[in-house]
Amino acid sequence: MTTAPVVLDPEEIAGELGRLLPAWLPTRRWFAGKGRARAPLEPGPVTVLSPGDPALLQVLVRTGPDELHQLLLGAATTGRPGRDVLGRAGSLILYEATGDAVLMARLAELIAGGGRRGAIGFHRVPGARIPAAVPARPISAEQSNTSVVYGEDMMLKVLRRPVPGVCHELETLTALGRADGVASAAPLGWLSTSAGGRELVLGILQKFVPSRGDGWAQALADARACVENAGNTENAGNTGNTGNAGNAGNAGNAGNSDGPVAPLGGFTEEARALGLATAGVHRALAEQLPTAEISPAGVAALVDGLTERLTDAVGQVPELRPYARQLGSLYQDVAEVARRGNPLLAQRVHGDLHLGQVLRAEHGWVLIDFEGEPGGGAGTRGVPQPPLRDVAAMLRSFDYAAHHALADVLGVPPGERRPGDPRAARQARRAAAWAVHNRRAFGEGYTAAGGCDPRCRPVLLRAFEADKAVYEALYESRHRPAWLPIPMAAVRRLAAARRAAG
């Protein structure tokens, strides 16, 4: 490979991107424009971060009035085997650069060295150790950003949808790094530019967390084994009534109406440990960053926000319409409880907590990806929230794992059943029981570590769980329609409970 610079014309490349991106960009997992009318794509100036053959380029693409997407591109005179190619710009082949180990190694070196390349600034955390010439590889898991791992030491998170202003993930990771006894992926450096006079963080280089895998993979495997075993036995070793569904605040009675079914498998200890870890992170963030009691006006704004999200989702997901009134009543219940003198405390939280956002490291669970919901809007990220918002989101994730495992075992799409098949009925009950036990274990661990006992705030927990299920329904309708029955089952359950309560 030659490292001689190729002839680069940034303006010509930007023009060619205007032609190439309408077909390529919507195929990206991290593209935010799926499921809505397509806005014109407007590539901004192309910055040459590293010349050579291949060269490393960076460009921001405007995809909406307040929406940017970031591209890191390689430009080479010859084909690069296995690369994700966009197309040609004159004599150059343009391709996705995050899969190119050579270019990603150069990017880490730029962060380590500091300084600027055009409009892009590189920043190194004082005292951070950034080894050179470390092999780079992209993480292939579905994500709303792109992560590149360097050996066993570092990981670069490329922010695909950067937002001007304070980067709440960088701020949160820095705060956790100051706290005692909380494992986290401490930041080592970052790259940024400016937009409208405010900093726009484009990527964060952080410590890599060696792990046995994420919580989703482990929970799903355990749930699948539990469901498969139910095909051969029922009520084996019954340890108690699982129908008391997720107290946490009756948050998960998963529809078990045929008597108790004891789950098999051993994930409940992991779920409890995850509750402990989550409470530890919440405690550390409360110590390091501002907290506040939500004022009456703030509670009203919180309820209005929940209601607006529901209204927007109902307009896009017709399946939600029959349940809108009951869900709206769940949200109004929050305001009523606050009016009775039950204060709500707010702090920095994770904002998008689920089993895929936690890693099982050697000494326990580590929470990652503190940027908030990908579709939650820039204005909601980093805003102090009641910690039970994270708790409710994790309870939903256990429910997801159970439904997904059941669908895998039955070999049918989520939500479908085999009428008249007693074995499938047993497996469905076992999946429900698995979710109930793990939701309960998570809540117990969270409480044991000093977090607010979810059973003590059932109204708030149910409202946040309903809001998360509505968000999931909107997400699935856009990205994975076959999975829509999973959040809809929760919507029906929560709406029915509210209707029964009057």
Side-chain angles (χ1 to χ4, degrees), residues 403 406-407 410 412-418 482-486 489 492:
H403 278 85
L406 178 63
L410 296 180
V412 298
E416 288 193 14
R417 298 291 182 268
R418 295 172 179 165
W483 287 33
L484 181 58
I486 296 179
R492 285 191 296 272

Side-chain angles (χ1 to χ4, degrees), residues 262-285:
L264 303 176
F267 200 76
T268 50
E269 284 304 310
E270 294 289 3
R272 190 178 191 280
L274 181 53
L276 291 167
T278 302
V281 166
H282 283 168
R283 184 173 58 252
L285 292 178

Side-chain angles (χ1 to χ4, degrees), residues 8 13 46-49 55-59 71-75 94:
L8 296 170
I13 292 172
V46 173
T47 300
V48 180
L49 299 182
L56 177 60
L57 315 176
Q58 189 273 351
V59 61
L71 307 182
L72 290 176
L73 302 176
L94 301 180

Side-chain angles (χ1 to χ4, degrees), residues 24 28 56 117 180 236 263 266 294 302 308 324 363 435 491 497:
W24 183 83
R28 303 300 93 185
L56 177 60
R117 293 292 188 278
D180 292 330
I294 304 179
L302 171 64
E308 288 171 8
H363 300 295
V491 166

